[in-house]
Amino acid sequence: MTTFLFDGHDIAPITILLAHGAGASMDSPSMTATAKALAAVGFQVARFEFHYMAARRYGHRKPPPRAETVNPEYIKAIADLRGKGVAGPLIIGGKSMGGRVASMVADEMFAKGEIAGLLCLGYPFHPPARPEQLRTKHLADLKTPTLIFQGTRDEFGTPDEVAGYGLSDSIEVVWLEDGDHDLKPRKSISGFSAADHLKTLAETVKAWAGRVAS
């Protein structure tokens, strides 16, 4: 059974399921802050870990596997979340690799009526300094309503790069000024704080989810 961390109320009308990035756990400061920001605007948020990350809690230092190999774990997490009695519209997603994995199972789950949308936080469009190694092929025909938040100085995909990818019309990309791969800006340069961007993120997700999950 998948282990979850919950934020928000279990009577919230919409639940968001989030997976972590390749190198940080589900309770990392970034994931925790994001979950709490989303809970504050009325979502129930559930976080979970892929097996390799959960194993690290017991001293097993496993490297991140190829993203597509953990697709079944994400599908199982959806089933286990429903098994816990979580009903109503569900949006899946995650941070970086977690969002990428969610994007690879999204259309299957969307077609079955299991999910209402996809939320990606810092999508890894390509590895840093390797813009030719794109991870976008499946995004060209994605049918699931999708919201991607990306920092303008994210090394995994810049505004100029992403503009040329030919993404599906179902995908909306929201750019956060001066945000890095964790969406964090440099306040001295941009005038924005991490809290500012989290507030924008949460309010934007709320408005978008109200459309796609109605």
Side-chain angles (χ1 to χ4, degrees):
M1 179 66 72
T2 307
T3 298
F4 298 99
L5 284 180
F6 287 98
D7 288 277
H9 297 291
D10 57 10
I11 58 171
I14 300 172
T15 298
I16 299 176
L17 176 62
L18 296 176
H20 54 85
S25 62
M26 65 179 174
D27 55 357
S28 68
S30 176
M31 287 286 290
T32 298
T34 301
K36 293 191 178 305
L38 290 168
V41 297
F43 293 103
Q44 176 178 220
V45 183
R47 290 174 274 166
F48 78 99
E49 289 179 342
F50 299 116
H51 295 161
Y52 83 91
M53 183 61 71
R56 293 184 180 185
R57 297 181 182 274
Y58 304 97
H60 304 292
R61 295 293 300 180
K62 296 183 178 181
R66 291 178 62 86
E68 57 270 19
T69 66
V70 296
N71 288 1
E73 293 183 42
Y74 207 118
I75 292 172
K76 183 177 185 299
I78 295 171
D80 288 348
L81 189 65
R82 294 301 195 190
K84 283 184 170 291
V86 175
L90 176 65
I91 292 168
I92 65 170
K95 172 76 181 73
S96 192
M97 187 188 87
R100 182 185 173 206
V101 175
S103 74
M104 289 189 283
V105 306
D107 272 2
E108 177 187 350
M109 295 291 101
F110 184 65
K112 292 179 178 178
E114 290 286 343
I115 67 170
L118 170 68
L119 174 63
C120 298
L121 311 172
Y123 188 88
F125 289 101
H126 61 74
R130 285 182 281 173
E132 72 284 354
Q133 294 186 22
L134 291 179
R135 299 159 171 166
T136 58
K137 185 177 180 180
H138 68 293
L139 300 181
D141 301 313
L142 197 71
K143 296 176 174 58
T144 308
T146 300
L147 190 59
I148 297 176
F149 286 91
Q150 203 81 356
T152 59
R153 60 186 178 95
D154 190 336
E155 297 180 327
F156 289 76
T158 67
D160 287 345
E161 291 169 343
V162 175
Y165 289 158
L167 303 178
S168 164
D169 289 341
S170 68
I171 299 174
E172 179 182 349
V173 182
V174 176
W175 292 96
L176 296 174
E177 184 62 34
D178 198 55
D180 61 12
H181 193 50
D182 286 332
L183 309 178
K184 292 180 180 177
R186 298 164 295 184
K187 188 169 186 179
S188 61
I189 293 175
S190 68
F192 293 102
S193 66
D196 292 333
H197 279 355
L198 280 177
K199 183 178 180 182
T200 296
L201 183 153
E203 291 175 348
T204 303
V205 173
K206 184 177 182 179
W208 168 79
R211 298 195 305 271
V212 305
S214 60

